[in-house]
Each structure stands twice: as structure tokens, then as C-alpha cells.
Amino acid sequence: MIFLRKVLFPLAIVYWIITFIRNIFYDLGVFKSQSYALPVIAVGNLSVGGTGKTPQIEYLIRLLDGYKIATLSRGYKRLSKGFILADESVSAKELGDEPFLFFSKFPNVLVAVDADRRNGITQLLVHKPDVILLDDAFQHRKVRAGFYVLLTAYNDLFSDDYILPFGNLREPEMGKKRANLIIVTKCPEDLSEIAQIKIKQQLMAKDIPVYFSTIQYDNYLYSESAKLAVKERNESVLLLAGIAKPELFFDYLKKESDTVLTFPDHHNFTADDVQKILKVAQARKIITTEKDFVRLKGKLPANQLYYLPIQSRVINDEFGFNSKILNYVGKNTRNS
């Protein structure tokens, strides 16, 4: 792996130059960005995957309860193209697992997908939302959001990474300057104030507010029709995940007798995959993530398949973080 990274280093320099020039052209107005009259919040990262965008979007949905909210995602690995607004007829395959999860959990939210964010917003404006949440759109500069939330994972800070393909950064670290705030995600619940200060110094973002969040797990595992207390689980199970960086999920649930099975992020489970899962499970319960559950529901026995819900929780100055979001939306929404 180290040898391969060294081989790819010259390509990383070229990629760095291209993304740097692209950003400069947008900053100077050579490339045009479209802005909008309503609040648009973009949630994204500098690196490739695994920073916790989905629970962060859900956090914002809960925080902005009372507003007419729309979410717009690309719909990564969906088996469809163009603009789709979720309704009862749409499937996870057509919408993508993350948007389908939003639609399943928040029926009052307008959930849409479109790789062309400009077109997606134009289509959503017909439905007159109060605020639009852009999922994974930090690098989508054809749209100028009014507020940018930049995520970086506690165990994989963008300050410790390198540009693609030598590392995992989508753009140079200086792209952080576009952020209105930074959230360090997936932190230990008891992260000390000293550790927080050290991370802020590493990120070198002195003019940007930095917050820290942790993953809060539900006390129960859920199937389509039942629930099981996590602490009361005694039997051996199959733990299954098709997400980026599933280690925290496994670490939280795994017992000595459990079996672990992983698939690629956003994996579309085939009939062969289902047979493999059932063979490994050997009639045991199958516990998976929420995102995987929406893709596996209906493919595996309903009484065998369970999922563990999660939520993001800010562990330092939650009031301050919430106030920044609510103040931005309140000052810019049509309801203000």
C-alpha cells in the first residue's frame, strides 16, 4: 500500500493543481455559482466517505422541526437518473439508501435526488420549502449554499490526510475556508476539553467554529414488527454492514460468539449476497445498520433481520451550535 501511494503521488500533485484552480475560478467568479432566496445548508466533507453525513442531516431535520424541510442528495449508486421526488411508489434502489432512509423516517420532509443540484433545487422550489438541506454537496460549487457544515471524523481528520489518489481528500485542505462551522464527528462521548483544544489546533481553523459530536446508539434493536433491548441480547448473531468505516458499529455490538460480515459502502445486495448472508447467519438473528436495513428489507426473513438506529449528538456547546443553525434559517426563511 505504501509503495502504491508513492507511485500515485505525481497524480495527486496534478489533481491538487486542478482542484485548486477550479476553486480559485469559482472564488473569482470565472465559474458561476447559483445562489437562492431561501436558506440552503450544505453538509459535506473534504475526504471520501465515512464522516457521518447521514446522522448529521437527520440532526438538522430534527432541529428544524416546524419548518417545511427539503433534502437533496445525489442518490449515490441508485438505479435511476435525473430528478426524483420520493413518494410511496419509490424504492431504495431508485432513490438510493440514504435518501430512502430520510423518506422512511421523516414522512413530512420533501426528499429528492438529483446529481445536478441546480436542477434539483429548481424542481424543489415548486413545492415551496422553507429550507433545503444539501447532502454531500461541499464540493458542488455550481450551487452557492448560504451555510456550509464541514464534517471530519475524529479518527481520520482532514488535517492528517492527503489529496486523492495519494490520500483521501477530494480537494486541498484550504477548502475548509468555505465552511461556516466544522464538526468533528464520531468522537468518544467523554472527549476531554484538552483533547478538543488539541484537535482544533490540528485543524488550523482559528476563524471557524469547531464542534464535536458523538454517535448515540439506540437502546433497542428493531425488526419490522419487534424490538429487542441491546443489553438483553444474549444469543450469538450475525453483524452485517455495507457502509464506509463500520468499525464503530461492530465495536458497539460485537460479542465473542458473534460473526461479522462486511460489504462495500452503498452495496446493492443481490440474490447471491442474500444466500451468502443466510448461509453465514445459520438461522441466527441478523443485525445491521439503518442504511443497510432499507436495502435488505424484504430480501431477508422479517423475523430475522434487525437494525440499530443511531443519532448524532453534539458534546460541546450544543446550544451554540443549534443557535447558529436556527439563527441562519430564521433570518433567511420566507417565514421570518
Side-chain angles (χ1 to χ4, degrees):
M1 179 61 72
I2 295 176
F3 173 76
L4 181 60
R5 283 183 178 269
K6 289 181 178 179
V7 170
L8 294 174
F9 184 72
L11 293 177
I13 295 175
V14 174
Y15 184 77
W16 189 97
I17 293 170
I18 292 171
T19 53
F20 174 78
I21 293 173
R22 174 181 181 269
N23 281 332
I24 289 293
F25 279 9
Y26 272 111
D27 292 341
L28 295 175
V30 177
F31 294 161
K32 301 299 180 183
S33 296
Q34 177 69 47
S35 56
Y36 299 88
L38 80 168
V40 177
I41 302 176
V43 177
N45 47 27
L46 296 182
S47 60
V48 178
T51 55
K53 293 184 293 295
T54 301
Q56 186 57 50
I57 291 286
E58 292 185 7
Y59 183 102
L60 294 177
I61 290 173
R62 295 185 179 96
L63 177 63
L64 296 170
D65 183 40
Y67 290 99
K68 186 176 181 180
I69 303 168
T71 68
L72 179 61
S73 310
R74 177 177 51 164
Y76 185 63
K77 285 195 175 181
R78 62 186 170 116
L79 303 181
S80 62
K81 293 184 178 180
F83 176 83
I84 295 179
L85 182 65
D87 59 26
E88 294 300 330
S89 67
V90 77
S91 68
K93 283 186 177 182
E94 296 168 300
L95 204 63
D97 54 2
E98 290 159 349
F100 191 81
L101 181 60
F102 299 150
F103 178 65
S104 302
K105 296 178 73 170
F106 306 103
N108 294 326
V109 171
L110 295 166
V111 177
V113 293
D114 198 334
D116 183 342
R117 298 315 207 287
R118 278 187 184 178
N119 181 67
I121 292 175
T122 300
Q123 298 288 342
L124 281 171
L125 290 178
V126 175
H127 301 273
K128 298 182 178 180
D130 296 322
V131 56
I132 297 176
L133 305 179
L134 298 181
D135 179 22
D136 196 13
F138 199 81
Q139 284 78 33
H140 200 94
R141 300 205 61 186
K142 289 183 179 181
V143 167
R144 181 179 297 161
F147 199 98
Y148 287 90
V149 177
L150 178 61
L151 309 182
T152 186
Y154 169 76
N155 285 322
D156 192 16
L157 300 174
F158 59 68
S159 56
D160 298 331
D161 208 344
Y162 301 92
I163 199 78
L164 287 166
F166 184 71
N168 294 308
L169 294 184
R170 297 171 170 177
E171 63 172 302
E173 185 185 340
M174 64 185 71
K176 66 188 175 188
K177 295 179 181 179
R178 299 197 303 276
N180 293 89
L181 58 84
I182 296 171
I183 305 178
V184 181
T185 62
K186 303 183 180 181
C187 296
E189 208 168 355
D190 58 351
L191 186 68
S192 70
E193 191 171 338
I194 293 175
Q196 293 177 25
I197 292 172
K198 184 178 179 181
I199 291 172
K200 289 179 182 180
Q201 292 171 342
Q202 286 178 259
L203 296 178
M204 292 186 291
K206 61 180 180 178
D207 297 324
I208 306 171
V210 178
Y211 296 90
F212 297 83
S213 70
T214 189
I215 293 296
Q216 186 171 332
Y217 295 94
D218 201 290
N219 292 324
Y220 289 89
L221 303 165
Y222 297 85
S223 69
E224 286 189 56
S225 58
K227 68 179 184 179
L228 172 67
V230 173
K231 290 184 178 180
E232 294 177 6
R233 179 177 75 85
N234 297 314
E235 77 277 28
S236 170
V237 301
L238 170 63
L239 300 176
L240 183 155
I243 60 172
K245 302 173 184 175
E247 292 81 12
L248 289 177
F249 170 75
F250 291 140
D251 289 345
Y252 181 76
L253 287 174
K254 191 174 187 315
K255 296 184 178 181
E256 189 174 350
S257 59
D258 294 337
T259 304
V260 168
L261 185 59
T262 60
F263 289 88
D265 193 19
H266 301 283
H267 184 68
N268 286 313
F269 293 97
T270 65
D272 287 343
D273 293 328
V274 170
Q275 290 304 311
K276 177 181 178 180
I277 293 168
L278 290 172
K279 183 177 180 180
V280 175
Q282 296 180 340
R284 292 176 296 172
K285 286 184 175 64
I286 301 165
I287 302 175
T288 191
T289 68
E290 284 185 284
K291 286 199 288 186
D292 291 308
F293 182 81
V294 299
R295 283 177 280 131
L296 287 166
K297 183 179 176 181
K299 295 182 178 180
L300 291 169
N303 63 345
Q304 196 174 353
L305 182 63
Y306 286 75
Y307 67 92
L308 175 67
I310 63 171
Q311 288 189 27
S312 176
R313 182 171 66 84
V314 178
I315 58 177
N316 72 311
D317 192 15
E318 183 177 19
F319 177 80
F321 173 81
N322 291 350
S323 295
K324 287 185 183 299
I325 300 295
L326 292 171
N327 288 341
Y328 163 69
V329 174
K331 289 178 181 178
N332 293 280
T333 185
R334 295 186 179 96
N335 291 339
S336 61

